[in-house]
């Protein structure tokens, strides 16, 4: 069968591999669609410390159950499923307190083990979520990025009427925008430095947008709130140098959600945090958010396909990577048709 394999940084190809067999406790999934994520690009560039090569990437995917491993219950051959990539041990401290997404023995499908950019893949049965009839496999392949958004918003604990400011209008910023609207937040500002992305944010329901290279974001937020500041700020730009500005913009009792893996240090002004009693939270992957996102899609409150800019066959994935590397402004979510 065919698979997209990364053998080393910047060394990737479509290759033929053997079809895996359903392992005990796992299901074999015939992949229909998979989405290209920024995390996949980091692996391709050699910027992910957790990955070991060679690796078949892809952690955003959906398909149908092809075979059941020994001991699997609750799923049947032919079930339409999407896959939570988070695999946890169930025994360490984070797992014991209900935070399996930061398990000390964490594995992520598509990072620590092979993922969805192949025609068939084994996954733990517990990670396969059955889909309602009205959620297509293309939309279901995008459940995972919306769980990232659901997770950071949950960590930020929105209150009815809260304003939200999103730094960054890439895919994660846009999923946060869509998820926040689905959850009932109405006043949402998005900032970025690429006008094309800001135009997409407006299409997807942003109340207002600002270009960080051209506009004074702090002054605009002060004017918008009468000097009160913004209670919810999501950093989807993931630029450490932005943190001091984010803390200045935050309102007293504000909550800031951080998503970046950038290893560079940030200047944290403790005075800003203490005088306002700010809450800064990290957010990694998702903590059992798949059922929530699937329900929002099934109800029509979340339109994942509005995020898709390109649909391409697996054979054209190298070209998609080149586009994302050199012309990111042309793309939102790139969806790869593997076996639809």
């Amino acid at each position: 069968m065919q698979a997209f394999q990364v053998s080393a940084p910047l060394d990737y190809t479509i290759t033929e591999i053997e079809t895996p067999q359903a392992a005990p406790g796992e299901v074999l999934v015939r992949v229909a669609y998979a989405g290209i994520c920024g995390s996949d690009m980091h692996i391709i560039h050699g910027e992910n410390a957790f990955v070991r090569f060679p690796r078949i990437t892809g952690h955003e995917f959906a398909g149908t159950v092809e075979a059941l491993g020994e001991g699997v219950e609750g799923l049947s051959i032919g079930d339409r499923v999407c896959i939570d990539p988070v695999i946890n041990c169930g025994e360490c401290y984070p797992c014991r307190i209900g935070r399996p997404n930061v398990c000390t023995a964490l594995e992520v499908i598509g990072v620590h083990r092979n993922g969805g950019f192949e025609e068939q893949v084994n996954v733990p049965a517990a990670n396969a979520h059955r889909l309602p009839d009205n959620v297509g496999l293309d939309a279901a392949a995008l459940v995972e990025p919306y769980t990232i958004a659901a997770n950071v918003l949950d960590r930020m604990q929105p209150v009815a009427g809260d304003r939200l400011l999103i730094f960054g209008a890439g895919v994660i910023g846009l999923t946060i925008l869509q998820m926040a609207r689905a959850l009932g937040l109405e006043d949402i500002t998005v900032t970025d430095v690429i006008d094309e992305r800001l135009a997409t944010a407006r299409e997807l329901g942003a109340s207002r947008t600002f270009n960080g290279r051209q506009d004074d974001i702090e002054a605009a937020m002060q004017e918008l709130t009468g000097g009160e500041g913004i209670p919810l700020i999501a950093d989807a730009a993931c630029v450490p140098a932005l943190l001091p500005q984010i803390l200045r913009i935050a309102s007293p009792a504000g909550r800031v959600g951080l998503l970046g893996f950038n290893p560079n240090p940030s200047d944290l002004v403790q005075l800003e945090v203490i005088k306002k009693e700010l809450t800064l939270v990290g957010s990694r992957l998702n903590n059992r958010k798949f059922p929530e996102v699937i329900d929002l899609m099934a109800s029509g409150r979340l339109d994942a396909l509005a995020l898709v800019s390109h649909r391409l066959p697996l054979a054209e994935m190298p070209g998609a990577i080149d586009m994302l590397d050199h012309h990111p402004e042309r793309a939102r979510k790139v969806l790869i048709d593997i076996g639809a």
Side-chain angles (χ1 to χ4, degrees), residues 7-42:
S7 299
L10 300 178
D11 180 6
Y12 52 84
T13 187
I14 306 297
T15 188
E16 287 287 333
I17 63 170
E18 291 187 9
T19 301
Q21 302 299 308
E26 298 190 337
V27 294
L28 183 65
V29 175
R30 181 174 293 277
V31 181
Y33 293 97
I36 302 178
C37 175
S39 297
D40 298 309
M41 302 299 290
H42 291 156

Coordinates of all heavy atoms in Angstrom, one line a residue, residues 7-42:
S7 N 11.8 10.2 6.0 CA 13.0 9.4 6.3 C 14.0 10.1 7.1 O 14.8 9.5 7.9 CB 13.7 8.8 5.1 OG 12.8 8.0 4.4
A8 N 14.0 11.4 6.9 CA 15.0 12.3 7.7 C 14.5 13.7 7.4 O 13.6 13.9 6.5 CB 16.4 12.1 7.2
P9 N 15.0 14.8 8.1 CA 14.5 16.1 7.8 C 14.7 16.5 6.3 O 15.8 16.2 5.7 CB 15.5 17.0 8.7 CG 15.8 16.1 9.8 CD 15.9 14.7 9.3
L10 N 13.6 16.9 5.7 CA 13.5 17.4 4.3 C 13.7 16.2 3.4 O 14.0 16.4 2.2 CB 14.5 18.5 4.0 CG 14.4 19.8 4.9 CD1 15.4 20.8 4.5 CD2 13.0 20.3 4.6
D11 N 13.6 15.0 3.8 CA 13.7 13.8 3.0 C 12.4 13.0 3.1 O 12.2 12.3 4.1 CB 14.9 12.9 3.5 CG 15.1 11.7 2.6 OD1 14.4 11.5 1.6 OD2 15.9 10.8 3.0
Y12 N 11.5 13.2 2.2 CA 10.2 12.5 2.2 C 9.8 12.1 0.8 O 10.2 12.7 -0.2 CB 9.2 13.5 2.8 CG 9.1 14.9 2.2 CD1 8.4 15.1 1.0 CD2 9.9 15.9 2.7 CE1 8.3 16.3 0.4 CE2 9.8 17.2 2.1 CZ 9.1 17.4 1.0 OH 9.0 18.6 0.4
T13 N 8.9 11.1 0.8 CA 8.5 10.6 -0.5 C 7.2 9.8 -0.3 O 6.8 9.4 0.9 CB 9.5 9.7 -1.1 OG1 9.2 9.3 -2.4 CG2 9.7 8.4 -0.3
I14 N 6.5 9.5 -1.4 CA 5.4 8.5 -1.4 C 6.0 7.2 -1.7 O 6.7 7.0 -2.7 CB 4.3 8.9 -2.5 CG1 3.8 10.3 -2.3 CG2 3.2 7.9 -2.4 CD1 3.1 10.6 -1.0
T15 N 5.8 6.2 -0.8 CA 6.5 5.0 -0.9 C 5.5 3.8 -0.8 O 4.4 4.0 -0.3 CB 7.6 4.9 0.1 OG1 8.4 3.7 -0.1 CG2 7.0 4.8 1.5
E16 N 5.9 2.6 -1.2 CA 5.1 1.4 -1.0 C 5.6 0.7 0.3 O 6.8 0.5 0.5 CB 5.3 0.5 -2.2 CG 4.6 0.9 -3.4 CD 3.1 0.7 -3.4 OE1 2.6 -0.2 -2.6 OE2 2.3 1.5 -4.0
I17 N 4.7 0.3 1.2 CA 5.0 -0.4 2.4 C 4.0 -1.6 2.5 O 3.0 -1.6 1.8 CB 4.9 0.5 3.6 CG1 3.5 1.0 3.8 CG2 5.9 1.6 3.5 CD1 3.3 1.7 5.2
E18 N 4.3 -2.5 3.4 CA 3.4 -3.6 3.7 C 2.2 -3.1 4.5 O 2.3 -2.2 5.3 CB 4.1 -4.7 4.5 CG 5.2 -5.4 3.7 CD 5.7 -6.6 4.4 OE1 5.2 -6.9 5.5 OE2 6.7 -7.2 4.0
T19 N 1.0 -3.7 4.2 CA -0.2 -3.4 4.9 C -0.1 -4.0 6.3 O 0.2 -5.2 6.4 CB -1.4 -4.0 4.2 OG1 -1.5 -3.4 2.9 CG2 -2.7 -3.7 5.0
P20 N -0.3 -3.2 7.4 CA -0.2 -3.8 8.7 C -1.4 -4.7 9.0 O -2.4 -4.7 8.4 CB -0.3 -2.5 9.6 CG -1.0 -1.5 8.8 CD -0.7 -1.8 7.4
Q21 N -1.2 -5.5 10.0 CA -2.3 -6.4 10.5 C -2.8 -5.8 11.8 O -2.1 -5.1 12.6 CB -1.7 -7.8 10.8 CG -1.1 -8.5 9.6 CD -2.1 -8.7 8.5 OE1 -3.2 -9.2 8.6 NE2 -1.7 -8.2 7.3
A22 N -4.1 -6.1 12.1 CA -4.8 -5.5 13.3 C -4.1 -6.2 14.5 O -4.2 -7.4 14.7 CB -6.3 -5.8 13.2
A23 N -3.5 -5.4 15.4 CA -2.9 -5.9 16.6 C -3.9 -6.0 17.7 O -5.0 -5.4 17.7 CB -1.8 -4.9 17.0
P24 N -3.6 -6.8 18.7 CA -4.5 -7.0 19.8 C -4.9 -5.6 20.5 O -4.0 -4.8 20.7 CB -3.7 -7.9 20.8 CG -2.8 -8.7 20.0 CD -2.4 -7.7 18.8
G25 N -6.1 -5.4 20.7 CA -6.6 -4.2 21.3 C -6.6 -3.0 20.3 O -7.0 -1.9 20.7
E26 N -6.3 -3.2 19.1 CA -6.3 -2.2 18.1 C -7.2 -2.5 16.9 O -7.7 -3.6 16.8 CB -4.9 -2.0 17.6 CG -3.9 -1.5 18.6 CD -2.6 -1.1 18.1 OE1 -2.2 -1.5 17.0 OE2 -1.9 -0.3 18.8
V27 N -7.5 -1.5 16.1 CA -8.3 -1.6 14.9 C -7.5 -1.2 13.7 O -6.6 -0.2 13.9 CB -9.6 -0.9 15.0 CG1 -10.6 -1.5 16.0 CG2 -9.4 0.6 15.2
L28 N -7.7 -1.8 12.6 CA -7.1 -1.4 11.4 C -8.0 -0.5 10.7 O -9.2 -0.8 10.4 CB -6.7 -2.6 10.5 CG -6.0 -2.3 9.2 CD1 -4.6 -1.7 9.4 CD2 -5.9 -3.6 8.3
V29 N -7.6 0.7 10.4 CA -8.5 1.8 9.8 C -8.0 2.0 8.3 O -6.8 2.2 8.1 CB -8.4 3.1 10.6 CG1 -9.2 4.2 9.9 CG2 -9.0 2.8 12.0
R30 N -9.0 1.9 7.4 CA -8.7 2.4 6.0 C -8.9 3.9 6.0 O -10.0 4.3 6.1 CB -9.6 1.6 5.1 CG -9.4 2.0 3.6 CD -10.2 1.2 2.6 NE -9.8 -0.2 2.6 CZ -8.7 -0.7 1.9 NH1 -8.0 0.1 1.2 NH2 -8.4 -2.0 2.0
V31 N -7.9 4.6 5.8 CA -7.9 6.1 5.9 C -8.6 6.6 4.6 O -8.3 6.3 3.5 CB -6.5 6.7 6.0 CG1 -6.6 8.2 6.1 CG2 -5.8 6.1 7.2
A32 N -9.6 7.6 4.9 CA -10.2 8.2 3.8 C -9.6 9.6 3.5 O -9.2 10.0 2.4 CB -11.7 8.4 4.1
Y33 N -9.5 10.4 4.6 CA -8.9 11.8 4.5 C -8.0 12.0 5.6 O -8.2 11.5 6.7 CB -10.0 12.8 4.5 CG -11.0 12.8 3.4 CD1 -12.2 12.2 3.5 CD2 -10.7 13.5 2.2 CE1 -13.1 12.2 2.4 CE2 -11.6 13.5 1.1 CZ -12.8 12.9 1.2 OH -13.7 12.9 0.2
A34 N -7.0 12.8 5.4 CA -6.1 13.3 6.4 C -5.7 14.7 6.2 O -5.5 15.2 5.0 CB -4.8 12.4 6.5
G35 N -5.6 15.5 7.2 CA -5.2 16.9 7.1 C -3.7 17.1 7.4 O -3.1 16.5 8.2
I36 N -3.1 18.1 6.6 CA -1.7 18.5 6.9 C -1.8 19.5 8.0 O -2.4 20.6 7.9 CB -1.0 19.0 5.7 CG1 -1.1 18.0 4.5 CG2 0.4 19.4 6.0 CD1 -0.4 18.5 3.2
C37 N -1.0 19.3 9.0 CA -0.9 20.2 10.2 C 0.5 20.9 10.3 O 1.4 20.3 9.7 CB -1.2 19.4 11.5 SG -1.0 20.4 13.0
G38 N 0.5 22.0 10.9 CA 1.8 22.6 11.2 C 2.8 21.7 11.9 O 4.0 21.7 11.6
S39 N 2.3 20.8 12.7 CA 3.1 19.8 13.4 C 3.8 18.9 12.4 O 4.9 18.4 12.6 CB 2.3 19.0 14.4 OG 1.8 19.9 15.4
D40 N 3.1 18.5 11.4 CA 3.6 17.7 10.3 C 4.8 18.4 9.6 O 5.8 17.8 9.3 CB 2.6 17.3 9.3 CG 1.5 16.5 9.8 OD1 1.7 15.5 10.5 OD2 0.3 16.8 9.6
M41 N 4.6 19.7 9.4 CA 5.7 20.5 8.8 C 6.9 20.6 9.7 O 8.0 20.5 9.2 CB 5.1 21.9 8.5 CG 3.9 21.9 7.5 SD 4.2 21.1 5.9 CE 5.3 22.4 5.2
H42 N 6.7 20.7 11.0 CA 7.8 20.7 11.9 C 8.6 19.4 11.8 O 9.8 19.4 11.9 CB 7.3 20.9 13.3 CG 6.8 22.3 13.5 ND1 5.9 22.6 14.5 CD2 7.0 23.5 12.9 CE1 5.6 23.9 14.5 NE2 6.3 24.4 13.5

